[in-house]
Amino acid sequence: LGTHLWGCFIAGMSFACIDKHHWPHHVWVKQTKRATTWMIRIFFSATVAFSIPVSSLLSVDAFLKGSVMGIGPCILTKVLCAPFMGDAKFVIGWAMVGRAEFAYLIAQSAAAADMMDKDTFSIVIWALLYATIFAPFIFRKVLDRYVKRHFNHENGPQDELKDADH
């Protein structure tokens, strides 16, 4: 039954996009955006957040080991991995740091399958928190600095970037 309803929905949205302005599609996205955002938050909290052992997470040992893992393997290895990429090396590195969201689910699945104990799981959560918190802010700064340095808003890319294309 669900498959038939899903098929009807997809067919309706496909034909609704034939309109020149895609109005039904935009209405659908606008109306479901808030609900989708909240459902993703609830899904995350029901799967990963409720599985975090708070007493183990708040221990000094987990915090210190998670800090070392977060700053070293989670951040520095990605930021410093592109030394030959020219001026874009930090942009590329910080873009890679921000991919920690899926790692929470992997860590939770590993903990649920008894592949890691609660102390190791707490260390992993601290390490991932570093990447999750710092990546968006620092990536925005390095990207803004890169764009200001390499692009002139009136004339487009500077000469050195144009020469790189040829």
Side-chain angles (χ1 to χ4, degrees):
L1 180 66
T3 306
H4 300 297
L5 291 175
W6 185 243
C8 290
F9 171 76
I10 295 295
M13 288 307 291
S14 297
F15 287 114
C17 290
I18 291 175
D19 180 24
K20 180 169 104 176
H21 300 290
H22 302 293
W23 184 77
H25 176 72
H26 290 297
V27 170
W28 173 258
V29 170
K30 186 175 180 180
Q31 294 298 324
T32 60
K33 188 173 187 174
R34 285 188 209 118
T36 303
T37 302
W38 277 103
M39 292 307 291
I40 289 172
R41 290 176 184 163
I42 291 169
F43 172 77
F44 176 79
S45 66
T47 57
V48 177
F50 287 152
S51 67
I52 297 173
V54 178
S55 60
S56 177
L57 182 72
L58 298 178
S59 71
V60 175
D61 186 52
F63 175 74
L64 293 176
K65 289 178 181 177
S67 298
V68 170
M69 293 291 293
I71 294 169
C74 278
I75 294 177
L76 285 180
T77 56
K78 295 171 186 169
V79 171
L80 301 177
C81 76
F84 302 111
M85 296 304 297
D87 288 341
K89 63 185 168 194
F90 292 117
V91 175
I92 294 167
W94 279 103
M96 289 190 292
V97 172
R99 303 291 176 238
E101 293 85 4
F102 189 64
Y104 287 106
L105 187 61
I106 293 171
Q108 189 269 335
S109 298
D114 289 331
M115 295 173 73
M116 69 172 77
D117 62 352
K118 65 180 183 175
D119 294 331
T120 305
F121 181 62
S122 297
I123 293 167
V124 170
I125 294 299
W126 275 115
L128 293 174
L129 281 173
Y130 277 97
T132 304
I133 292 170
F134 289 122
F137 299 112
I138 298 176
F139 176 68
R140 180 181 296 152
K141 288 183 94 161
V142 296
L143 183 62
D144 286 343
R145 188 172 58 211
Y146 179 79
V147 168
K148 285 177 187 174
R149 193 178 319 150
H150 291 284
F151 288 91
N152 183 350
H153 294 293
E154 295 172 3
N155 300 329
Q158 291 181 355
D159 291 337
E160 64 186 52
L161 290 178
K162 288 180 183 178
D163 292 340
D165 291 338
H166 298 298

